[in-house]
Amino acid sequence: ALNAYNETNAAMNLVLFEDAMKHVCRVCRILQSSHALMVGVGGSGKQSLCRLAAFICNATVSQIAISGTYGMSDLKEDIKQMYFKAGLKNEPIVFLFMDSQIADEKFLVYLNELLSSGKIPGLFAPDEIDTIYNSVRNEGKGEG
């Protein structure tokens, strides 16, 4: 899988020792049915192994791009776009977010809501919610 990843993405020169392969397998298993928060010492390979696991699971990796003006409204918009991809387009998404990307401590409130319930109050305006419902209504009826 690493060779296939390196053919289509920026090359990762990883040494996949037994523990690293076990971690990739764990992340793949989690990605197939749930979500996770990976915590650990910086530089230990969490991001690389997560990217590899996402590739194996055919998931799109999404990461915010912090700038000097990046704020709460930008984070909300980025999360909305991920929700649209995951919910309306049925695309598996891996959201990579590192501690260095916490430009505002209020980001943690959204991330907590995202991890605990998947619902972020006030993320979508009422007219956006109606559009979302209308987009999935026929598919939902078809599924029963």
Side-chain angles (χ1 to χ4, degrees):
L2 181 59
N3 290 336
Y5 178 90
N6 286 339
E7 289 175 9
T8 57
N9 298 288
M12 282 194 296
N13 295 319
L14 296 177
V15 176
L16 290 175
F17 52 92
E18 187 175 347
D19 283 343
M21 289 187 289
K22 286 180 182 178
H23 285 305
V24 170
C25 291
R26 281 186 200 108
V27 174
C28 285
R29 187 179 69 240
I30 291 167
L31 290 178
Q32 292 172 351
S33 63
S34 188
H35 57 272
L37 173 65
M38 295 173 67
V39 179
V41 178
S44 61
K46 294 179 302 297
Q47 187 177 166
S48 298
L49 295 180
C50 190
R51 286 182 184 279
L52 180 58
F55 176 79
I56 291 168
C57 294
N58 294 315
T60 302
V61 176
S62 183
Q63 207 168 7
I64 63 172
I66 294 292
S67 67
T69 59
Y70 193 91
M72 291 298 290
S73 60
D74 300 307
L75 178 64
K76 283 176 71 171
E77 191 58 38
D78 286 341
I79 292 173
K80 279 173 147 179
Q81 293 307 313
M82 285 186 284
Y83 272 35
F84 282 128
K85 286 181 184 176
L88 296 179
K89 297 179 181 176
N90 204 22
E91 252 184 64
I93 301 286
V94 170
F95 179 36
L96 276 180
F97 188 86
M98 295 170 289
D99 60 346
S100 62
Q101 294 173 313
I102 302 171
D104 184 339
E105 287 191 17
K106 294 176 190 170
F107 284 14
L108 298 175
V109 174
Y110 283 173
L111 294 176
N112 182 51
E113 294 293 332
L114 182 69
L115 286 170
S116 63
S117 68
K119 296 179 184 176
I120 299 174
L123 183 63
F124 294 102
D127 61 319
E128 290 176 312
I129 292 172
D130 289 340
T131 302
I132 293 167
Y133 284 155
N134 291 332
S135 297
V136 297
R137 181 171 284 130
N138 290 336
E139 188 175 335
K141 284 180 181 178
E143 295 291 324

